[in-house]
Amino acid sequence: MALVGCLLLLWSLPLAAISYWALSVLRASAPDPETTLLVVVGVGLVGGYLSYRYGTTQLLSRLEAVELPRSHAPRFYQRLDDLESRMGVDSPTVAIARLPMPNAFALGSRRGGVVVLDRSLFGLLSLDELEALVAHEFAHLERYDAFVQTLAYSVFRTIAGLAVLLLSPLLVAIMGVARAVAWLRGDPQSWSRTVVGRLLGLIEGGVVICLLLATLAVRAHSRRREYAADERAATVTGRPVALARALRTIQRTADPSAGLLAPLYVHTDDETWRRLLSTHPPTDDRIERLLERPRHDRDRAQAREA
């Protein structure tokens, strides 16, 4: 065990030194910090753009989504043409697919976007409800919501990768010393309980916390955009109740706990973390906001007349 511990030191410390030397060479040839930051952000943006473009194509291919012909839904397309004239989108493609549950989502931007609808929605929703649901997706295309979130994730991943790279000499040295000390003590499994191992745990915990905070920030922005898309769809169509009905129908169809077998399912009361990490706000909250809108509009109209 002592021999293995010494070998670990002889392996890890030179490796950490080589890593430090390589980073020193890169730092000596690197531009000023401002330019370096711009390069890192630029690489993240380019990577996010390429990932979004090719990822969108691959996703549509995996879902076997096909464009909905106008001849199959003429009245539906008449509603969409009216929506396009009132919203900042340019003839998005409407595709249908067999999704795991009734759902709709938008990909792309206001130019050349795609709205994917589950086939079952045409049997579950009325024409007014379908129009309101598509208006919600058009609102996402107007503001480039999915694209912006992909770029944000990409930039953060690039910065996080650079931070791990800069810390790699320290991490390699700490890991090697911790494991070597554990072998020298005759208990290889105790390396994480040593002082050096605990220091490594603190560093890893800090990285995890930073990742979690960034994820929470992006998810919170996503939930705000869902509320904004609901508001935009309600304003454009003038039918907030139709969108609320569509959301309720999708919720009841997708949630098995809403059926007759609800008492047989196990429910958990603590949903705080699930809410914080969700990209969408609770459907009940969205429906409540939409149903409050007509009452608010009536009160405002009465206040003006008074």
Side-chain angles (χ1 to χ4, degrees):
M1 285 188 172
L3 178 60
V4 172
C6 293
L7 290 175
L8 284 173
L9 281 176
L10 291 176
W11 164 256
S12 59
L13 293 182
L15 183 61
I18 293 173
S19 302
Y20 179 76
W21 172 79
L23 288 176
S24 299
V25 172
L26 290 175
R27 184 174 57 186
S29 59
D32 56 90
E34 292 79 9
T35 305
T36 302
L37 180 61
L38 289 176
V39 170
V40 171
V41 173
V43 170
L45 292 175
V46 172
Y49 174 76
L50 295 176
S51 174
Y52 188 78
R53 285 291 302 273
Y54 292 109
T56 298
T57 303
Q58 292 176 357
L59 177 61
L60 293 175
S61 176
R62 287 200 303 269
L63 293 175
E64 299 181 354
V66 295
E67 184 174 356
L68 176 65
R70 278 185 171 266
S71 58
H72 288 194
R75 295 178 58 205
F76 175 64
Y77 268 106
Q78 288 177 1
R79 298 287 188 99
L80 296 195
D81 292 339
D82 186 43
L83 284 178
E84 291 171 20
S85 65
R86 288 181 287 161
M87 301 181 73
V89 293
D90 185 14
S91 300
T93 300
V94 178
I96 55 175
R98 295 191 183 278
L99 304 179
M101 60 183 65
N103 202 355
F105 58 88
L107 299 170
S109 62
R110 62 175 64 190
R111 302 288 181 266
V114 179
V115 175
V116 180
L117 300 171
D118 182 65
R119 292 176 181 270
S120 65
L121 292 176
F122 290 88
L124 293 171
L125 305 181
S126 67
L127 190 58
D128 287 346
E129 293 166 355
L130 271 174
E131 179 189 14
L133 187 63
V134 174
H136 171 95
E137 302 305 331
F138 279 9
H140 284 308
L141 295 179
E142 276 187 320
R143 293 292 300 269
Y144 301 88
D145 286 336
F147 183 57
V148 169
Q149 290 176 27
T150 301
L151 291 184
Y153 271 122
S154 179
V155 170
F156 179 75
R157 284 197 303 265
T158 304
I159 294 175
L162 178 62
V164 171
L165 179 64
L166 294 176
L167 290 173
S168 59
L170 179 62
L171 296 177
V172 170
I174 291 176
M175 176 72 76
V177 171
R179 290 187 177 276
V181 169
W183 277 89
L184 289 171
R185 292 170 54 182
D187 187 4
Q189 303 301 323
S190 67
W191 70 270
S192 61
R193 298 192 298 271
T194 64
V195 175
V196 183
R198 289 172 182 169
L199 177 60
L200 180 64
L202 289 175
I203 295 175
E204 292 177 344
V207 173
V208 170
I209 290 174
C210 291
L211 288 170
L212 178 60
L213 291 176
T215 301
L216 292 177
V218 174
R219 297 295 171 88
H221 175 267
S222 176
R223 292 192 294 273
R224 288 195 298 271
R225 293 309 309 154
E226 289 299 323
Y227 285 129
D230 286 344
E231 288 293 323
R232 177 65 170 149
T235 300
V236 172
T237 64
R239 300 187 183 94
V241 177
L243 180 56
R245 288 199 305 264
L247 294 175
R248 180 65 74 192
T249 300
I250 293 173
Q251 180 191 43
R252 289 174 175 171
T253 307
D255 185 6
S257 64
L260 295 175
L261 300 180
L264 301 181
Y265 290 93
V266 177
H267 302 274
T268 57
D269 295 329
D270 186 11
E271 297 182 346
T272 303
W273 278 108
R274 191 176 70 175
R275 283 195 172 200
L276 290 175
L277 294 173
S278 175
T279 58
H280 286 60
T283 304
D284 290 336
D285 292 351
R286 296 172 63 187
I287 292 173
E288 184 178 352
R289 283 179 175 230
L290 289 167
L291 295 179
E292 282 290 335
R293 185 184 174 97
R295 291 192 288 268
H296 178 68
D297 291 342
R298 284 196 302 268
D299 294 341
R300 195 163 51 180
Q302 291 174 359
R304 280 202 208 98
E305 293 174 359

